[in-house]
Amino acid sequence: MNSILLKNGRVVTADSDAVCDILIEGETIVSIGRNLSAEGAQVIDCTGKLIMPGGIDPHVHLEMPFMGTFSSDTYETGTRAALHGGTTTVIDFILQKQGNSLRSAFEEWSGRATGNAVGDYSFHMAVTDFNPGTKEEIKDMVAEGITSFKTFMAYKGALMIDDAQMVGLMQEVKKHGGLVTAHATNGDMIDTLIAQHRAQGKLTPLYHYLSQPEVTEAEASGRFADIANYTGVQAYIVHLTCEGALNQVRRATERNQRVLVETCIQYLVLDASLYEDEANGAKYVMSPPLREKKDQATLWAGINQGLVNVVGTDHCPFMWEQKLMGKDDFSKIPNGHPAIEHRLELLFSEGVNTGRITPQKFVAVTSTNAAKIFGLFPRKGTISIGADADLLILDPEKKHTISADTHHMNVDYSAYEGWELTGKIETVLLRGKVAVDAGETKIAKGYGQFIKRGKTAF
Ligand code: URP
Ligand code: ZN
Ligand code: ZN
């Protein structure tokens, strides 16, 4: 059995921070302490480095059919890029096709992932057509280890469900102990604003932003929270971006309801001024759109207030040529942003190194909270005896520059081109194997496993 000894690292979890050693045997951690030794073990000197749980990104879209094309990272390229950035597990979204079963979508997504993933992965089930047949399948999906059900309150005609379906789905998911998540924006209002802008010949990427004002997200977030409160299901809002939406979550706490919140790295570090660049604005066309500086401040504060629980990516890359599908009409630009590789280093540099968040909070929002919320804990999301040895080793002082020339994502531009970051992830372990070291991938496609998830324990 392979054995690895990590020596003298600063081991940070969501609730501890101490210099010690970690001994790994096979796929798991077997000992944590001072002055450990193990005959025959590969020793990695971690002096001056941080050792943290491998990242869990609960919001990615790999090879997703969307807006007439497919997101450009496959399970192979996407999970490999994730590993290079310290993310050892991703949770992707299966999309039910309207009129079809959940099972057939599960099979389709499994077909793309099985044998191809480099890193570990799991699935959420996006319910786009809740009907008596779908209702029957909820318990089957929970038995398959898919315990979270995604809803879209936008993208009418393709993915959106109405409030009647939302109530029915929440009632059924509640029965089986699952979680309901939402892309919480008001689809009808957005579609109306898009139509108005197009009719007025307002077609540049800026109008993508102006078609999704803050109120569209605040209204849907409040509605989603209200319906969840009525049904009693645990609610989770994906990619929350703005003050108005977070205030709806704050309001829910006043009736002692807990609505879990994910934001994404881009909403913390990029803002809507990027849409003013007509030539490059398509790179930032995602839904919801980037917001204002005041929203960034709200989100950073929300992390420290415990209202924002998770920082994901909503990784949904498209090649520049795909983005050009909308060169004459913003509504045809495939929505999505590539970030799977840079979430942790961006958050470390912009969050920990600037003093906005502590290293422990960093671990909580990049790994532990997602593991607890989505039923992966304590196998993943922490550093403890018996846990999977999914670990990252980070040099907190090392500077590096992001570029499309050097990233591993299958996309030909970077939304962060030229950004200089402080803090570099040098080595990544996945289930006891060195997966990435000094910029090189050490494991092959097929090593990544489908991870069945349990119920929320947050
Ligand atoms: O722009 C985005 N977010 N694209 C992916 C689909 C979604 O809404 O999450
Ligand atoms: Zn979404
Ligand atoms: Zn998404």
Side-chain angles (χ1 to χ4, degrees):
M1 190 185 289
N2 80 305
S3 153
I4 299 179
L5 181 59
L6 306 181
K7 290 291 288 178
N8 295 318
R10 180 177 163 198
V11 178
V12 184
T13 70
D15 47 26
S16 64
D17 185 342
V19 173
C20 58
D21 306 337
I22 299 173
L23 179 62
I24 298 157
E25 279 178 7
E27 297 200 346
T28 57
I29 295 168
V30 295
S31 190
I32 302 167
R34 292 269 170 91
N35 303 317
L36 298 183
S37 60
E39 212 171 304
Q42 176 192 350
V43 177
I44 302 179
D45 178 17
C46 299
T47 308
K49 312 276 170 69
L50 273 62
I51 305 178
M52 295 169 163
I56 297 171
D57 188 341
H59 194 149
V60 307
H61 301 281
L62 303 174
E63 295 182 73
M64 178 177 74
F66 189 53
M67 295 185 72
T69 184
F70 279 78
S71 57
S72 58
D73 260 319
T74 62
Y75 280 86
E76 181 182 354
T77 63
T79 58
R80 186 165 50 223
L83 285 169
H84 277 267
T87 292
T88 45
T89 303
V90 301
I91 314 182
D92 195 359
F93 293 86
I94 298 172
L95 302 184
Q96 176 195 19
K97 269 200 198 85
Q98 292 181 339
N100 291 5
S101 66
L102 301 183
R103 172 71 58 187
S104 61
F106 178 37
E107 282 165 3
E108 186 185 332
W109 257 256
S110 296
R112 286 199 274 271
T114 309
N116 289 321
V118 187
D120 283 354
Y121 63 97
S122 188
F123 294 128
H124 307 281
M125 176 59 73
V127 177
T128 63
D129 183 5
F130 186 73
N131 57 46
T134 319
K135 184 176 171 193
E136 282 305 306
E137 291 190 278
I138 298 295
K139 63 174 177 330
D140 304 339
M141 291 299 121
V142 171
E144 296 283 3
I146 299 172
T147 51
S148 45
F149 296 86
K150 164 84 176 286
T151 60
F152 289 91
M153 299 170 81
Y155 305 123
K156 199 172 188 169
L159 302 172
M160 177 170 151
I161 61 168
D162 62 22
D163 292 348
Q165 295 183 81
M166 182 71 88
V167 176
L169 173 68
M170 284 184 171
Q171 287 169 333
E172 192 61 19
V173 172
K174 161 87 180 155
K175 240 199 267 175
H176 300 287
L179 186 94
V180 175
T181 78
H183 170 127
T185 63
N186 184 319
D188 283 329
M189 188 169 169
I190 292 167
D191 288 347
T192 302
L193 296 178
I194 291 173
Q196 286 176 0
H197 286 133
R198 292 178 76 211
Q200 292 161 10
K202 295 173 173 168
L203 298 169
T204 63
L206 177 65
Y207 290 95
H208 170 77
Y209 167 63
L210 294 174
S211 298
Q212 299 200 36
E214 182 174 7
V215 61
T216 59
E217 192 178 336
E219 184 281 328
S221 299
R223 182 159 37 103
F224 176 67
D226 287 346
I227 303 173
N229 189 49
Y230 172 74
T231 61
V233 81
Q234 179 59 63
Y236 176 103
I237 298 177
V238 306
H239 56 38
L240 184 144
T241 70
C242 59
E243 185 183 13
L246 198 63
N247 281 342
Q248 294 299 325
V249 173
R250 221 182 294 276
R251 180 182 63 87
T253 66
E254 288 164 10
R255 59 190 174 208
N256 204 21
Q257 181 193 11
R258 189 182 57 165
V259 176
L260 301 170
V261 171
E262 164 202 289
T263 191
C264 295
I265 187 65
Q266 58 272 26
Y267 300 117
L268 290 164
V269 301
L270 302 176
D271 68 71
S273 61
L274 289 160
Y275 297 117
E276 282 155 25
D277 175 353
E278 203 176 313
N280 288 296
K283 291 180 184 166
Y284 303 96
V285 166
M286 65 191 90
S287 293
L290 298 172
R291 300 288 185 197
E292 305 292 323
K293 293 256 186 255
K294 59 105 183 157
D295 298 298
Q296 293 181 343
T298 298
L299 295 175
W300 284 110
I303 291 176
N304 284 323
Q305 290 159 346
L307 285 174
V308 175
N309 311 100
V310 172
V311 178
T313 58
D314 192 9
H315 177 70
C316 189
F318 295 100
M319 292 287 186
W320 185 238
E321 195 180 310
Q322 293 174 289
K323 287 283 188 182
L324 288 179
M325 288 162 67
K327 67 180 174 4
D328 299 321
D329 178 352
F330 71 88
S331 71
K332 298 199 164 54
I333 301 169
N335 287 202
H337 178 79
I340 203 167
E341 188 167 349
H342 300 308
R343 174 179 68 124
L344 297 181
E345 288 171 341
L346 279 167
L347 190 68
F348 191 85
S349 195
E350 297 288 316
V352 178
N353 275 337
T354 57
R356 284 177 170 129
I357 59 170
T358 64
Q360 290 186 25
K361 186 60 99 172
F362 172 87
V363 171
V365 297
T366 57
S367 182
T368 312
N369 290 352
K372 289 181 176 174
I373 291 167
F374 293 111
L376 292 163
F377 190 85
R379 176 174 175 190
K380 295 192 182 287
T382 193
I383 299 176
S384 61
I385 291 168
D388 280 1
D390 296 355
L391 300 165
L392 62 88
I393 303 171
L394 181 147
D395 181 339
E397 312 289 340
K398 192 163 178 178
K399 292 194 186 309
H400 60 110
T401 304
I402 297 181
S403 173
D405 296 337
T406 49
H407 73 204
H408 298 82
M409 299 178 288
N410 187 39
V411 56
D412 52 3
Y413 69 90
S414 173
Y416 306 93
E417 188 68 40
W419 280 44
E420 188 175 281
L421 305 184
T422 304
K424 175 98 186 97
I425 293 165
E426 298 194 318
T427 305
V428 179
L429 285 89
L430 173 59
R431 282 181 285 105
K433 277 221 162 140
V434 174
V436 168
D437 188 45
E440 278 186 32
T441 316
K442 302 286 186 185
I443 55 174
K445 76 170 185 173
Y447 185 75
Q449 282 182 2
F450 172 65
I451 308 292
K452 273 189 160 194
R453 294 183 290 112
K455 293 178 183 169
T456 297
F458 186 71

